């Protein structure tokens, strides 16, 4: 089976893991954690980085540090992995789902702007959603596939409404926009080191940002809010620390970040070149400096999830792993009653996406076989 996306562990991972065992630094104390924070901050273009146990816990922690509380609203795109919404829910908040732009599959800033203007009012310096009476506590765009949207407009929205701007940058390691690295745009950004990401620790995540007070607060919260060396705590903190073992793998991975992103872009370009002749299909969007996390095709409008599942079965029979992509948040059981503002793009897109193998270690022969197989099933069972 040619896998969809698996780690490329052909660097110094074993050497660094052996060092963890030899020195007995396997828990959250260890040099690799600090080293990974430094490497990630440098690649993100930020002054600070805080290693955490997962991308989701990172989002939860930074939203908490930014002041998101129970009963408040966090603006997110409906087209995202459910962890984006879950992080808000873990704060006791409610996701306010909005649509994405067709050009980059990211939260549409014009819609956010118009929705705030039309559906909210300012009371005592707070942004209040009229229908629900809830305070809008933060705006959280998602860097879908490593694409970065119009963050200048999101910055203006956040500043005009005095809202924290937090980026779910889960798959954006190595991404940039107009020559600025991905961490340069939001108040804080969170990446994931999950096993299917371009750079992995097997799990874990990283919060990056330039605001010292905010980053100091999130570091304090993620390390149980402990004061000093005794058993004193000043808040209901979280045990969200990354282990030195995870960080050791991450350091070996970060040494090859540029190489991995180049591989991802090559895979994206290959599929586009080889499959562009299939009538009616389109490809994943790619902004300037995108990290091109996943690659695949989009079936023509009007096709449904059954067509994708048929293709999945055909590819599986040929030894190729492929998958559907994100089902929008507003269609998920925990969030069926969440506030929504115009989700027609998300609604019409998600059922037509077919992801294809894009591991950074995929061979040319495997890429060729995947492309030829897609062409074959397109003509036999999709078209």
């Amino acid at each position: 089976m040619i896998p969809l996306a698996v780690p490329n562990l052909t660097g110094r991972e074993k050497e660094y893991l052996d060092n963890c065992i030899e020195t007995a630094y396997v828990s959250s104390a260890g040099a690799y954690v600090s080293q990974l924070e430094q490497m990630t901050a440098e690649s993100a273009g930020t002054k600070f980085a805080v290693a955490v146990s997962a991308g989701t816990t990172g989002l939860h922690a930074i939203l908490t540090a930014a002041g998101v509380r129970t009963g408040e609203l966090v603006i997110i795109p409906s087209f995202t992995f459910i962890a984006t919404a879950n992080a808000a829910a873990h704060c006791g908040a409610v996701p306010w789902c909005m649509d994405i732009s067709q050009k980059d599959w990211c939260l549409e800033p014009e819609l956010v702007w118009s929705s705030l203007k039309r559906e909210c009012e300012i009371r005592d310096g707070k942004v209040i959603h009229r229908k629900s009476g809830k305070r809008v506590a933060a705006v959280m765009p998602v860097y879908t596939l490593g694409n970065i949207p119009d963050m200048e407009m999101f910055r203006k929205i956040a500043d005009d409404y005095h809202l924290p701007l937090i980026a779910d940058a889960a798959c954006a390691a190595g991404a940039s926009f107009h020559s600025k690295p991905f961490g340069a745009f939001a108040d804080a950004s969170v990446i994931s080191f999950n096993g299917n990401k371009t750079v992995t620790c097997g799990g874990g995540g990283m919060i990056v940002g330039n605001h010292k007070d905010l980053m100091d607060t999130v570091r304090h919260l993620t390390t149980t809010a402990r004061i000093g060396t005794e058993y004193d705590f000043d808040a209901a903190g979280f045990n969200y620390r990354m282990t030195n073992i995870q960080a050791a793998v991450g350091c070996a991975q970060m040494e090859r970040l540029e190489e991995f992103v180049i591989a991802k872009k090559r895979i994206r370009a290959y599929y586009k070149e080889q499959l562009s002749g299939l009538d009616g299909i389109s490809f994943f969007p790619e902004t300037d400096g995108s990290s091109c996390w996943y690659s695949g095709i989009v079936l023509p409008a009007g096709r449904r999830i059954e067509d994708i599942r048929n293709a999945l079965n055909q590819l599986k029979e040929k030894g190729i792993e492929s998958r559907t992509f994100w089902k929008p948040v507003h269609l998920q059981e925990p969030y069926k009653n969440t506030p929504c503002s115009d989700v027609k793009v998300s609604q019409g897109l998600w059922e037509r996406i077919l992801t294809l193998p894009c591991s950074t270690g995929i061979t040319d022969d495997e890429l060729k076989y995947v492309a030829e197989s897609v062409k074959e099933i397109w003509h036999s069972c999709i078209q």
Side-chain angles (χ1 to χ4, degrees), residues 198-267:
T198 304
V199 168
T200 184
C201 298
M206 190 74 69
I207 307 165
V208 297
N210 287 314
H211 298 277
K212 186 178 186 303
D213 289 345
L214 180 62
M215 296 299 290
D216 284 347
T217 298
V218 80
R219 183 180 294 280
H220 182 60
L221 287 174
T222 56
T223 53
T224 68
R226 189 169 186 165
I227 303 172
T229 59
E230 302 298 329
Y231 290 97
D232 294 308
F233 308 86
D234 64 357
F238 317 115
N239 186 5
Y240 284 171
R241 293 171 287 192
M242 177 185 284
T243 70
N244 201 46
I245 284 180
Q246 289 175 307
V249 174
C251 288
Q253 292 274 290
M254 285 296 294
E255 290 173 350
R256 304 175 67 192
L257 176 60
E258 183 177 357
E259 170 193 343
F260 287 167
V261 173
I262 289 172
K264 288 287 189 179
K265 291 183 177 183
R266 179 182 67 87
I267 293 164

Side-chain angles (χ1 to χ4, degrees), residues 23-247:
T23 60
Y25 280 103
V26 297
S27 189
S28 55
Y32 287 117
V33 176
S34 299
Q35 182 178 334
L36 182 60
E37 288 178 339
Q38 181 179 350
M39 295 172 78
T40 308
E42 289 176 358
S43 72
T46 60
K47 296 177 182 177
F48 310 104
V50 176
V52 287
S53 57
T56 306
T57 58
L59 290 173
H60 176 210
I62 193 62
L63 288 175
T64 301
V68 177
R69 297 294 182 263
T70 298
E72 299 180 331
L73 295 177
V74 176
I75 296 172
I76 68 167
S78 186
F79 185 72
T80 183
F81 184 58
I82 198 170
T84 312
N86 289 347
H90 294 330
C91 295
V94 178
W96 181 0
C97 291
M98 297 191 187
D99 212 354
I100 57 170
S101 167
Q102 190 73 57
K103 68 181 180 181
D104 55 22
W105 294 2
C106 297
L107 184 64
E108 173 55 71
E110 293 284 356
L111 177 59
V112 175
W113 181 272
S114 63
S115 297
L116 285 168
K117 186 175 181 179
R118 183 179 61 253
E119 301 182 48
C120 298
E121 60 185 54
I122 307 298
R123 299 180 198 164
D124 300 323
K126 299 177 181 178
V127 184
I128 304 299
H129 184 247
R130 290 192 189 95
K131 185 176 181 180
S132 67
K134 299 179 185 296
R135 182 177 86 97
V136 180
V139 179
M140 188 158 63
V142 175
Y143 293 169
T144 309
L145 303 169
N147 293 338
I148 297 178
D150 184 357
M151 291 301 288
E152 288 186 1
M153 185 165 184
F154 277 119
R155 181 76 272 164
K156 178 171 175 54
I157 293 169
D159 289 347
D160 285 355
Y161 283 91
H162 303 289
L163 296 172
L165 180 60
I166 307 299
D168 180 344
C171 52
S176 63
F177 190 68
H178 293 167
S179 299
K180 292 182 179 180
F182 76 89
F185 304 100
D187 296 325
S189 306
V190 182
I191 63 173
S192 169
F193 291 129
N194 191 40
N196 64 0
K197 297 301 187 289
T198 304
V199 168
T200 184
C201 298
M206 190 74 69
I207 307 165
V208 297
N210 287 314
H211 298 277
K212 186 178 186 303
D213 289 345
L214 180 62
M215 296 299 290
D216 284 347
T217 298
V218 80
R219 183 180 294 280
H220 182 60
L221 287 174
T222 56
T223 53
T224 68
R226 189 169 186 165
I227 303 172
T229 59
E230 302 298 329
Y231 290 97
D232 294 308
F233 308 86
D234 64 357
F238 317 115
N239 186 5
Y240 284 171
R241 293 171 287 192
M242 177 185 284
T243 70
N244 201 46
I245 284 180
Q246 289 175 307

Side-chain angles (χ1 to χ4, degrees), residues 154-371:
F154 277 119
R155 181 76 272 164
K156 178 171 175 54
I157 293 169
D159 289 347
D160 285 355
Y161 283 91
H162 303 289
L163 296 172
L165 180 60
I166 307 299
D168 180 344
C171 52
S176 63
F177 190 68
H178 293 167
S179 299
K180 292 182 179 180
F182 76 89
F185 304 100
D187 296 325
S189 306
V190 182
I191 63 173
S192 169
F193 291 129
N194 191 40
N196 64 0
K197 297 301 187 289
T198 304
V199 168
T200 184
C201 298
M206 190 74 69
I207 307 165
V208 297
N210 287 314
H211 298 277
K212 186 178 186 303
D213 289 345
L214 180 62
M215 296 299 290
D216 284 347
T217 298
V218 80
R219 183 180 294 280
H220 182 60
L221 287 174
T222 56
T223 53
T224 68
R226 189 169 186 165
I227 303 172
T229 59
E230 302 298 329
Y231 290 97
D232 294 308
F233 308 86
D234 64 357
F238 317 115
N239 186 5
Y240 284 171
R241 293 171 287 192
M242 177 185 284
T243 70
N244 201 46
I245 284 180
Q246 289 175 307
V249 174
C251 288
Q253 292 274 290
M254 285 296 294
E255 290 173 350
R256 304 175 67 192
L257 176 60
E258 183 177 357
E259 170 193 343
F260 287 167
V261 173
I262 289 172
K264 288 287 189 179
K265 291 183 177 183
R266 179 182 67 87
I267 293 164
R268 177 77 63 85
Y270 183 86
Y271 284 140
K272 191 170 184 179
E273 177 186 0
Q274 295 298 315
L275 302 176
S276 59
L278 301 182
D279 186 40
I281 72 161
S282 55
F283 299 91
F284 292 7
E286 184 177 336
T287 58
D288 170 60
S290 174
S291 57
C292 297
W293 171 51
Y294 264 15
S295 292
I297 60 175
V298 183
L299 271 60
R303 294 306 179 93
R304 310 303 294 171
I305 194 68
E306 290 74 18
D307 298 313
I308 291 292
R309 288 177 179 144
N310 186 23
L312 294 177
N313 290 333
Q314 294 287 326
L315 288 171
K316 184 177 180 180
E317 290 176 2
K318 293 178 174 294
I320 297 168
E321 183 183 16
S322 56
R323 291 185 186 174
T324 57
F325 203 43
W326 299 330
K327 183 178 180 179
V329 170
H330 73 277
L331 299 177
Q332 302 287 355
E333 188 63 34
Y335 302 109
K336 285 187 175 179
N337 296 318
T338 197
C340 279
S341 294
D342 187 6
V343 289
K344 62 179 180 293
V345 176
S346 303
Q347 188 82 39
L349 174 66
W350 76 274
E351 294 183 299
R352 300 185 288 118
I353 299 172
L354 179 68
T355 57
L356 297 173
C358 55
S359 304
T360 57
I362 194 170
T363 67
D364 290 343
D365 287 343
E366 288 171 334
L367 276 174
K368 182 179 179 181
Y369 178 67
V370 172

